[in-house]
Amino acid sequence: MKRIGIFLILAALIAAMAGCVSISPSGGGDDNGESYTLTINSTAGGSVTNPGEGNFTCAEDEVVNLFAEPEEGYQFVNWTGDVGNIANVNSALTAITADDSYSIQANFLEGPLKPLGINYTEEEAEELIIVLVNDERQQHDLGTLSEDALLTSLAREHSISMVENNFFCHARYPGERPFSYGQPYGTIRGENIAMIPTRQTIPGPYLSLQEVCEWAVSDWMDSPGHRANILEPRYSMTGVGVTFSDDWDYLYMTQIFEGDY
């Protein structure tokens, strides 16, 4: 009986493995039903090792397992392209259901792997900071701030520069665009910056997106100068840039405000 049990487990394992690679290189097809083409590629820094890269022919409604493997020094970021039928676009190990012809790409980024406890992006932090700041303004009967593309670009540039050049202040590092870059005549600008830990103790559990962003805005509201920027009635536009430190232990945040003088 023991031998039979081992054989059945082995057979099941082989069957499961076969299901992972059941698609064939484009050109084969299934004469008995509809077939579709799945095109897979990747950016620099890794490759799709299952089922591989190139054009593949899939049977209708076939579930194709995907595995994107980063090279040393890189991390998997996400899948892009025709991703509507991918089970999880943020997972390197996932699957896609072929009910049409699709083209997908695995994206990789140079740098250390994001810790499992950090389940949010820099862009999500930027968006939440604006929401929380606007909440504070509304509580004081002030108009909300609209996001401005130039201010966002300048804020991101400064946060990235602080991380890459290991400093924390409002002064611009050589090579950065100045704080007043592109500022229209007759307007005023202000700026808040923060360096917020991604966890309260090291080692320790990571804070949520809501917790780190609330920490930043709360600290700003407790500081007279930063509070004045958030509650300045003349400001109407803003841009936020958030960047993780290289070790993922801090979020560097820059928020720039602008309005008519």
Side-chain angles (χ1 to χ4, degrees):
M1 291 297 293
K2 183 179 293 186
R3 290 184 180 178
I4 293 174
I6 293 173
F7 173 77
L8 290 175
I9 293 172
L10 180 59
L13 178 60
I14 292 172
M17 292 173 62
C20 295
V21 293
S22 59
I23 65 175
S24 59
S26 185
D30 183 357
D31 295 334
N32 298 321
E34 191 76 27
S35 63
Y36 300 108
T37 299
L38 175 62
T39 302
I40 303 174
N41 58 66
S42 64
T43 61
S47 61
V48 180
T49 56
N50 186 36
E53 298 189 20
N55 297 322
F56 300 88
T57 298
C58 310
E60 186 174 11
D61 292 329
E62 183 169 358
V63 177
V64 181
N65 290 325
L66 303 170
F67 180 52
E69 187 172 1
E71 298 172 359
E72 185 175 355
Y74 287 80
Q75 60 172 305
F76 171 80
V77 179
N78 60 7
W79 299 90
T80 53
D82 304 319
V83 297
N85 278 19
I86 291 182
N88 185 349
V89 297
N90 297 312
S91 175
L93 180 61
T94 186
I96 184 171
T97 301
D99 59 7
D100 203 343
S101 292
Y102 296 126
S103 178
I104 59 175
Q105 176 174 282
N107 300 298
F108 300 91
L109 182 67
E110 188 172 10
L113 290 175
K114 179 189 289 188
L116 293 176
I118 298 178
N119 57 2
Y120 56 88
T121 66
E122 295 163 336
E123 291 77 12
E124 289 172 329
E126 292 170 356
E127 293 171 2
L128 186 52
I129 288 293
I130 294 176
V131 169
L132 295 174
V133 165
N134 276 333
D135 285 347
E136 294 289 346
R137 290 178 63 86
Q138 287 180 309
Q139 290 176 28
H140 291 80
D141 297 323
L142 298 171
T144 59
L145 305 172
S146 59
E147 187 174 4
D148 179 79
L150 175 60
L151 299 181
T152 299
S153 175
L154 291 172
R156 287 174 175 171
E157 181 177 301
H158 188 55
S159 290
I160 291 171
S161 179
M162 287 192 290
V163 171
E164 291 183 345
N165 298 297
N166 194 29
F167 75 103
F168 179 71
C169 70
H170 291 283
R172 266 42 185 179
Y173 198 81
E176 271 191 79
R177 288 173 293 180
F179 173 67
S180 60
Y181 179 88
Q183 182 175 354
Y185 178 77
T187 61
I188 56 172
R189 279 184 181 173
E191 179 179 86
N192 289 345
I193 60 174
M195 188 174 72
I196 302 297
T198 56
R199 43 188 174 174
Q200 289 185 326
T201 59
I202 301 175
Y206 287 95
L207 300 171
S208 68
L209 170 64
Q210 189 77 25
E211 289 171 327
V212 293
C213 291
E214 286 182 349
W215 189 346
V217 175
S218 176
D219 279 1
W220 284 339
M221 290 298 292
D222 288 340
S223 165
H226 297 92
R227 180 186 178 92
N229 276 335
I230 290 176
L231 301 182
E232 169 56 59
R234 290 174 293 179
Y235 291 146
S236 60
M237 297 184 296
T238 190
V240 176
V242 173
T243 302
F244 285 104
S245 62
D246 291 339
D247 56 10
W248 302 95
D249 283 338
Y250 292 92
L251 278 175
Y252 284 71
M253 300 178 174
T254 303
Q255 181 169 24
I256 302 176
F257 306 85
E258 184 179 281
D260 293 333
Y261 184 74

